[in-house]
C-alpha cells in the first residue's frame, strides 16, 4: 500500500495574472515534477478570503490583503506529490519578495510595489492540514 499523495492549495494572486506570470509560475511547479490535479480562474469573494485567511482577519494589514486579492481574478490550483507542501513552499520563497532568495518564484519575479499588502504573486498552504482546509474552501466541488 502506498501513502495517500500529499496535496497543496496554490493561488496565483492577482499580480501574477495581471503580469502574465501564470504560465511561468505553473511551469516552475510542473518542472519540479509535481502534478496539477485541479485548476481554475476565480474572482475571490470576501467570504472566501475571510475563511482562507482566518488567522489574519484581525491583523492591521488584512484590509490591504482583501483589497489586493479582490482586485482581479486568481488562478487556484491543487498540486499533488510526495512532500509537495515543503517543495512548493521552497519554490515560492519568503513572504517578502524583496528579501526572498534568488531562484525562488518570489525572489526572481517579485518586488515591493509600495502597496498596503505585500504583493508576492503566489500562495501555498503551510502544512498538509492547512492544505486540506484550504482546498475545501476553494474547491468545494472536489469534496466527496
Ligand atoms: P505566506 O503567504 O508567505 O504564507 P502569511 O504570513 O501567511 O505569508 O501572510 C499571508 C499574506 O498576507 C502574505 O502572502 C502577504 O500577501 C500578506 N502579508 C503578510 N504579512 C504582511 C505584512 O506585514 N504587511 C502586509 N501584507 C502582509
Amino acid at each position: 500500500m502506498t501513502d495517500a499523495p500529499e496535496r497543496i492549495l496554490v493561488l496565483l494572486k492577482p499580480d501574477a495574472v495581471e503580469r502574465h506570470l501564470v504560465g511561468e509560475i505553473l511551469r516552475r511547479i510542473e518542472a519540479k515534477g509535481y502534478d496539477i490535479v485541479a485548476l481554475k480562474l476565480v474572482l475571490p469573494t470576501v467570504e472566501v478570503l475571510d475563511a482562507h485567511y482566518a488567522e489574519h482577519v484581525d491583523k492591521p494589514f488584512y484590509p490591504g490583503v482583501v483589497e489586493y486579492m479582490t482586485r482581479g481574478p486568481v488562478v487556484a490550483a491543487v498540486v499533488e506529490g510526495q512532500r509537495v507542501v515543503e517543495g512548493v513552499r521552497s519554490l515560492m520563497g519568503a513572504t517578502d519578495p524583496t528579501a526572498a532568495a534568488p531562484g525562488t518564484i518570489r525572489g526572481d519575479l517579485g518586488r515591493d510595489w509600495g502597496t498596503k499588502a505585500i504583493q508576492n504573486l503566489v500562495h501555498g498552504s503551510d502544512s498538509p492540514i492547512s492544505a486540506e482546509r484550504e482546498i475545501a474552501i476553494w474547491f468545494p466541488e472536489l469534496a466527496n
Side-chain angles (χ1 to χ4, degrees), residues 65-126:
V65 169
V66 172
E67 193 176 307
Y68 165 37
M69 293 294 292
T70 57
R71 75 173 191 225
V74 306
V75 172
V78 180
V79 180
E80 197 172 275
Q82 297 298 320
R83 299 172 65 196
V84 69
V85 168
E86 189 182 349
V88 168
R89 296 279 297 184
S90 168
L91 284 179
M92 282 167 38
T95 303
D96 175 359
T98 299
T104 65
I105 291 165
R106 289 164 168 173
D108 286 350
L109 307 174
R111 70 166 170 94
D112 192 337
W113 299 89
T115 46
K116 280 185 263 177
I118 296 170
Q119 292 189 33
N120 52 12
L121 298 165
V122 65
H123 165 83
S125 321
D126 64 6

Side-chain angles (χ1 to χ4, degrees), residues 3-124:
D3 293 337
E6 189 173 283
R7 305 194 295 177
I8 185 170
L9 186 277
V10 173
L11 300 176
L12 309 191
K13 299 182 180 186
D15 49 333
V17 176
E18 290 160 9
R19 295 181 54 215
H20 309 114
L21 292 170
V22 170
E24 170 64 20
I25 295 169
L26 292 179
R27 186 197 66 73
R28 290 176 181 227
I29 293 169
E30 287 199 293
K32 182 87 170 172
Y34 298 125
D35 296 322
I36 296 170
V37 298
L39 187 69
K40 66 182 176 187
L41 190 76
V42 52
L43 188 59
T45 62
V46 174
E47 290 71 26
V48 161
L49 292 171
D50 286 353
H52 175 80
Y53 283 124
E55 67 177 303
H56 292 313
V57 289
D58 296 324
K59 304 248 175 83
F61 61 79
Y62 186 67
V65 169
V66 172
E67 193 176 307
Y68 165 37
M69 293 294 292
T70 57
R71 75 173 191 225
V74 306
V75 172
V78 180
V79 180
E80 197 172 275
Q82 297 298 320
R83 299 172 65 196
V84 69
V85 168
E86 189 182 349
V88 168
R89 296 279 297 184
S90 168
L91 284 179
M92 282 167 38
T95 303
D96 175 359
T98 299
T104 65
I105 291 165
R106 289 164 168 173
D108 286 350
L109 307 174
R111 70 166 170 94
D112 192 337
W113 299 89
T115 46
K116 280 185 263 177
I118 296 170
Q119 292 189 33
N120 52 12
L121 298 165
V122 65
H123 165 83

